[in-house]
Structures are given as C-alpha cells and as structure tokens.
Amino acid sequence: MAKIYVVANQKGGIGKSTTATNLAGILGRKAKTLLIDADPQGNSTSTYEAKIEDVATLYDVIIDSDKLPISEAIQHTPNGDIVASDPLLVKAEKMLDGDLEGFYRLKDSLDNLEGYEYVVIDTAPSLNIILYNCLIAADKVIIPVTADSYAMQGIQQLYDTIMSVKRRQNRNLSIAGLLLVRYSGRSNLEREIRENIEQIAKQMDTRLFKTVIRECVKTKEAQDAKKLLIDYAPKCNTCLDYLDFAKELLRIK
C-alpha cells in the first residue's frame, strides 16, 4: 500500500501546489510516486503539463457513476505520474449530494492502486466533499503556512475537519505537521509569528517542521517553464529546503 500525503490549507495562495509538486518530484526520484491534483484550479496539472480534454481525470474517478479505476486516469509526463484535475470538480458537491458512498470514492479507488510507494494529493482551499475524499483516503496531512498575521486564519476549522474525519471515517489519519513556506526570517514579526505557529502546532498535537521553505525567484521561473525545481534549479534555496523537508517528512512514523 502506498503512503498517502494530503497537502491542505483552506487559505488560498499559500503554496500548496508548489509544495505538492516539489514533494512529489523529490519522492519520485526515490520511489514510484503519484501526484493527484484535487484542486479544480489545476495548478499542479498545469505544472505537469497534463491533459484535461479527451482524457480521464479525477472527475471521472470521483464523480463518474461507473467508478473508473484510478489507474485509467494516470498520465505519465516528463515531470512524473499524475491524475489531472478538472474544472468540473466544482460540481462535485451537487452531484454527490445524498450519495452516502460519495465520500469514499477516492479511497476505494486508491485501495486498488498498485505499483506506487507514495501518493501526494494537492487540494483546493475549501472544506468540501473533495477534501473529505482526500482526507478519508490519506495517511497524513501536511499543512503549509506563511509567517504573516493571517497565517493561521481558518486553521482551526481545518483541524476540526481533520479530527472529525479521524474519529468517524479514517482512524489512521494524522497531521504530519505544519510547514512554514515563503519564509525569510529577517523580520522580528516573522520570528514572533513562527514561535506562535509552533505553539499552535503543539496544541494540535503535531509539529512545526524544523525545515522552513525559503522563497526564491527560481520557483516562479520553474512554474513558468513547467519544470520541477529539482530539474530546473536543484541548487536554489527553495529546492534545497524541499529536499530537507522530504527527508524530515520520511522520518516520521
């Protein structure tokens, strides 16, 4: 069975897709890894240059009444293997309304997936049925946060959702930790907020990862070039930090 990581934060523009794509790319250098883009915006799908027209996508896996096997939705790209997102995922809430099995579609499909050691799931900034599908299927949740005054906005609600899923649908689910991204550490305010986030992580019975992700211009350049940092700029600070983060993450039992 593959180890399944969900990257989640209901605040938008927090760097979830950057974290998901780079983590998947790094893990993919070590073992067979699948990236699943569960965000209708499709940023990870775009980075991997995956198709969404005339191919099976995550929409077909979760929404389709024929319950398409996830293996039939996997695309093999130069950046790695991916199940692409689809703008139609925004219709999931309405289409699965009243379907008691609707929350388990992704788990059921991943339970039958073979040949992968790791699965990384990028999610949308919302608490919806697609996120529930991801949490019910997952082993661990990675929560990216930034060191700004709005950093923890909505985190309590996400935490409550994770704990609710853990109690009712997925006893094996846990929060791997909070990951500080786009961090410089140059201002007193950033350092103070980092300490506050560390305290909040303890209250959530998890950790703030020791590794912090610094920001550099190469990240946006790589996204524009549809490349992973490990290929585009393997020695830039952001890539080196993600490499350290992956090592730290894999040490967690």
Side-chain angles (χ1 to χ4, degrees), residues 76-104:
H76 308 288
T77 79
N79 286 328
D81 291 358
I82 184 172
V83 175
S85 178
D86 192 314
L88 291 174
L89 282 171
V90 297
K91 299 180 179 180
E93 206 76 37
K94 186 179 293 185
M95 296 184 74
L96 292 177
D97 185 37
D99 182 355
L100 294 177
E101 293 187 359
F103 290 90
Y104 296 86

Side-chain angles (χ1 to χ4, degrees), residues 27-79:
L27 294 177
R29 295 297 192 277
K30 303 172 180 292
K32 193 76 169 168
T33 301
L34 175 66
L35 176 64
I36 298 176
D37 189 355
D39 185 351
Q41 293 182 41
N43 291 332
S44 290
T45 297
S46 176
T47 296
Y48 271 56
E49 291 192 286
K51 298 176 182 177
I52 61 172
E53 299 290 341
D54 301 319
V55 295
T57 66
L58 187 63
Y59 174 84
D60 300 290
V61 174
I62 293 182
I63 309 297
D64 197 315
S65 58
D66 292 334
K67 297 183 179 178
L68 183 82
I70 198 166
S71 58
E72 294 187 23
I74 294 172
Q75 298 182 47
H76 308 288
T77 79
N79 286 328

Side-chain angles (χ1 to χ4, degrees), residues 180-247:
L180 203 49
V181 298
R182 298 177 180 170
Y183 186 73
S184 71
R186 288 191 289 268
S187 71
N188 289 333
L189 179 60
E190 267 194 322
R191 290 191 290 272
E192 287 174 16
I193 291 173
R194 180 177 179 175
E195 290 175 5
N196 291 339
I197 293 172
E198 200 160 11
Q199 291 303 313
I200 292 169
K202 288 178 181 177
Q203 292 169 17
M204 295 167 62
D205 196 28
T206 187
R207 66 183 58 72
L208 175 63
F209 285 104
K210 291 180 181 177
T211 306
V212 298
I213 309 299
R214 292 167 290 178
E215 193 166 30
C216 69
V217 70
K218 294 293 183 184
T219 304
K220 291 182 179 178
E221 289 180 7
Q223 290 169 348
D224 288 341
K226 311 298 184 187
K227 299 284 187 183
L228 300 177
L229 272 174
I230 197 168
D231 296 318
Y232 184 82
K235 295 184 179 179
C236 77
N237 287 338
T238 308
C239 186
L240 294 174
D241 292 342
Y242 273 119
L243 285 164
D244 287 342
F245 164 63
K247 291 176 186 174

Side-chain angles (χ1 to χ4, degrees), residues 57-197:
T57 66
L58 187 63
Y59 174 84
D60 300 290
V61 174
I62 293 182
I63 309 297
D64 197 315
S65 58
D66 292 334
K67 297 183 179 178
L68 183 82
I70 198 166
S71 58
E72 294 187 23
I74 294 172
Q75 298 182 47
H76 308 288
T77 79
N79 286 328
D81 291 358
I82 184 172
V83 175
S85 178
D86 192 314
L88 291 174
L89 282 171
V90 297
K91 299 180 179 180
E93 206 76 37
K94 186 179 293 185
M95 296 184 74
L96 292 177
D97 185 37
D99 182 355
L100 294 177
E101 293 187 359
F103 290 90
Y104 296 86
R105 293 282 182 89
L106 184 56
K107 174 179 169 50
D108 290 345
S109 197
L110 284 172
D111 281 348
N112 295 316
L113 179 67
E114 297 180 351
Y116 288 91
E117 194 167 333
Y118 300 109
V119 175
V120 179
I121 306 176
D122 186 15
T123 62
S126 57
L127 302 177
N128 57 21
I129 197 167
I130 300 297
L131 179 63
Y132 274 93
N133 262 269
C134 297
L135 294 176
I136 290 169
D139 296 301
K140 294 191 179 295
V141 185
I142 300 160
I143 305 176
V145 294
T146 51
D148 60 66
S149 52
Y150 301 109
M152 302 308 291
Q153 196 174 55
I155 290 291
Q156 183 62 49
Q157 195 175 358
L158 175 61
Y159 172 74
D160 291 342
T161 299
I162 293 169
M163 290 300 104
S164 175
V165 170
K166 181 179 177 67
R167 285 193 302 273
R168 294 182 173 87
Q169 292 118 335
N170 182 2
R171 292 181 180 274
N172 295 321
L173 183 65
S174 65
I175 300 174
L178 276 59
L179 175 66
L180 203 49
V181 298
R182 298 177 180 170
Y183 186 73
S184 71
R186 288 191 289 268
S187 71
N188 289 333
L189 179 60
E190 267 194 322
R191 290 191 290 272
E192 287 174 16
I193 291 173
R194 180 177 179 175
E195 290 175 5
N196 291 339
I197 293 172

